[in-house]
Each structure stands twice: as C-alpha cells, then as structure tokens.
Amino acid sequence: MADLILHHYWPSPFAHKTRMAMGLAGLAWTSVEIPRVPPKPLLLPLTAGYRRTPVLQVGADIYCDTHNIAQVLADAEPNADDRLFPGPSRGAALMLAEWVDQTLFPLAVRVVITEALDTAPPDFVQDRGDLYFGPGWTPEGLRADAPGVILQLEAGLGRLESCLAGLGRCDTRALSSGDVAAAFIAWFLRGRWSRGAELLRDHPHLCEVEAALEGMGQQPARTMSAEEALVIAERAAPQAPAGIQHRSDLAVGQSVGVRPYVQSSDPEVFGRLRALSTDRISIDHEHADVGHVAVHFPVAGYQIRPAD
C-alpha cells in the first residue's frame, strides 16, 4: 500500500480520533496540515468538494469520514486489523463508534460551541454552527437549549460508562476501534469544555480508556506540504476496485450526489459512480490539479442519489 497521508489540523477532534486509530494499529503516517475553516483550495480538488476533516489519501484514492478511514487502516497491514478489531469485535466496535459520533458528539459539540460563543473567533463559530446545526441556528437558541443538552450528554456518558464497564478493565483486554471512539469524546470534552473534567470524574472506565490511548499515534513519520500531496495524487492512479457489489438501481459510470445525511452546510459532492458495496460508495472525480482520483465515502450516514 502507498503511504498513508492524513490531511488534518491538530485541534480537530475527528483528526485526533484517526491519529489514535493509526497509533493503535501501529501504522506510520504522513501529515499534511489544512485550514480549520474553508476555503480549503489545496484539499477540495482531492475530495470533489467534501470539506470535513480528516481526509486520508493513499495515492489517488481519497477516503472521507473516520468510519470509512478506520476500515481502510485495518486493511493497511496484516496486523492492523487485529489491533483495531481484535477477535470478533469488528461489528461491536463499529457500532459503538457510530453511536458515539451520531449521539454523543452532537451533544458535546453543542455544549462546547455554546460556551465558546463569546470567546472563539466569530468566523469559526459561524462556520461550525452552520456545519453542525444547519441553517437557522442562533446563539440564543443554543443558550436556551443548553441545560437540556447537558442532561442528555450526562445520560449518554452514563450509557457509555456502563458499556465500557461491561467489557472489563482496559488493561485486561485488547483495546479496539470502539475504545478509540470513547477516548475521542473524553478528550474533546476534557479539553474544550470547562465542565468536562468534572463530568468525566464520574466515569472511571471512560477515563481509564482515555488514559490508555493518550498520546497514541500523535507523531507523524514525516510532514508534507499540500502541494506535494496533490502531485502524488496526480502521478498515481486509483487502485480501489470498481463495480457494484450490492443490490442497487445505480450503475457504474452514473452521475451521483453524496452528502452527509444530517442538517448541515455540507455541500453535495458529485462524481461518476465507481463502486458500491454495503459499506462504501466510491466516485471517480477529475480536477486539473490532481487528474483522476477516486473518492470514497461510507454508505451509512450518507445520502446518495442519482444526479443525471
């Protein structure tokens, strides 16, 4: 496999999660730093316009969304799969990670942004508000909803704690990609919310997992400029297979649109359908800066539609 090139910025919680996953998998990676807010002129040519962080580049194959990336990492080297999904844990780990992302993170990001309304740069607050809350959100609405959101967050963390307690102490079992998701939400709350550390004290198993993964994967093997990464993509060709592996009315070569299935400011991404399975959709994309690349998304959590 070609080098794993991670397009990210260091404070990004989802990039932090992916870096931990690479550390747990024992994989070396190359760092390309990108802007925190659009425009991202040296990233979007690779992704057909997808703007979220992080993005994993492997030659001319571009992988979006951390769930998708985790499965790519598991296939990167022979031992990586056992490290990310030890034993029969793949299904449970993927379900736990998806629940954390879809249930806990939306609550966590609400309390974090609500607290930062008067202190963070206005352009950052506006961008993240549009991205996570969709059109029509207001600071007043966030503040009014905050007490109920905190109650929901506390309930969700209690369920996560019970789940981790049922799995046993992390020093007597193999950590998995599911633990990476748990550690990521703890890291985010502890570092971005003034009440995070206090709240986490009531969840010792979660704190134990967080401590076990602290610092893992946070050192890249090397750094690279975004311009260098574009050249690598241009000189390579997509290696992911093409074809329909799942029952669908869509056909290879058909124009399709893909976007996260949430209320947000995410632009719809368009390309020619390259491949479709139960887990992943791949589109072919061309741009003057990168030539022909294949951009890969998970099926779960994304709306896919014919665009012809």
Side-chain angles (χ1 to χ4, degrees):
M1 176 177 278
D3 290 347
L4 301 173
I5 302 171
L6 188 69
H7 297 255
H8 69 127
Y9 59 90
W10 291 100
S12 163
F14 286 98
H16 183 80
K17 181 172 74 165
T18 294
R19 295 191 299 262
M20 281 194 293
M22 289 190 289
L24 182 60
L27 298 170
W29 59 281
T30 296
S31 171
V32 173
E33 290 196 54
I34 62 175
R36 296 180 70 175
V37 297
K40 302 182 180 184
L42 299 180
L43 175 70
L44 300 188
L46 285 170
T47 64
Y50 179 82
R51 50 126 331 152
R52 296 204 178 201
T53 305
V55 168
L56 182 70
Q57 176 185 353
V58 185
D61 286 285
I62 313 300
Y63 297 92
C64 304
D65 193 282
T66 56
H67 295 283
N68 192 25
I69 291 171
Q71 298 198 67
V72 175
L73 298 179
D75 295 333
E77 290 183 3
N79 294 326
D81 184 74
D82 287 338
R83 291 170 177 160
L84 286 172
F85 304 109
S89 70
R90 177 182 286 264
L94 290 173
M95 287 183 66
L96 178 58
E98 186 172 309
W99 180 79
V100 168
D101 280 4
Q102 294 186 0
T103 301
L104 283 188
F105 182 77
L107 298 170
V109 79
R110 278 185 175 270
V111 301
V112 168
I113 291 181
T114 300
E115 186 173 75
L117 285 171
D118 297 325
T119 57
D123 61 334
F124 179 80
V125 170
Q126 186 67 50
D127 178 75
R128 292 308 191 268
D130 293 345
L131 182 66
Y132 291 124
F133 313 139
W137 75 276
T138 64
E140 295 76 19
L142 288 185
R143 292 188 177 101
D145 289 345
V149 171
I150 292 171
L151 289 174
Q152 292 184 68
L153 177 60
E154 291 174 333
L157 288 174
R159 291 185 179 181
L160 179 57
E161 176 70 10
S162 296
C163 176
L164 296 173
L167 293 173
R169 292 174 57 86
C170 68
D171 59 2
T172 61
R173 65 178 175 87
L175 293 166
S176 75
S177 182
D179 295 292
V180 169
F184 133 82
I185 203 70
W187 174 86
F188 181 60
L189 287 169
R190 188 183 301 279
R192 307 293 174 83
W193 189 38
S194 63
R195 293 180 55 186
E198 175 188 357
L199 188 60
L200 289 169
R201 281 200 293 269
D202 296 330
H203 303 87
H205 292 89
L206 176 55
C207 291
E208 188 176 23
V209 169
E210 178 193 16
L213 287 162
E214 183 178 3
M216 188 172 288
Q218 302 304 313
Q219 294 296 325
R222 66 189 182 107
T223 61
M224 176 185 293
S225 71
E227 290 85 356
E228 290 177 273
L230 293 180
V231 170
I232 288 173
E234 186 177 23
R235 293 177 176 174
Q239 298 300 304
I244 303 294
Q245 302 171 17
H246 182 62
R247 184 172 61 252
S248 172
D249 293 331
L250 299 174
V252 169
Q254 181 177 1
S255 180
V256 294
V258 182
R259 72 181 305 274
Y261 193 55
V262 292
Q263 289 292 322
S264 78
S265 61
D266 286 283
E268 190 170 21
V269 169
F270 295 96
R272 294 290 174 183
L273 182 62
R274 177 185 180 89
L276 179 66
S277 69
T278 55
D279 293 326
R280 180 177 295 153
I281 181 168
S282 305
I283 60 174
D284 286 317
H285 167 66
E286 293 190 9
H287 190 280
D289 292 342
V290 297
H292 173 207
V293 297
V295 190
H296 310 276
F297 301 90
V299 171
Y302 283 74
Q303 180 66 20
I304 301 159
R305 69 174 185 88
D308 284 334

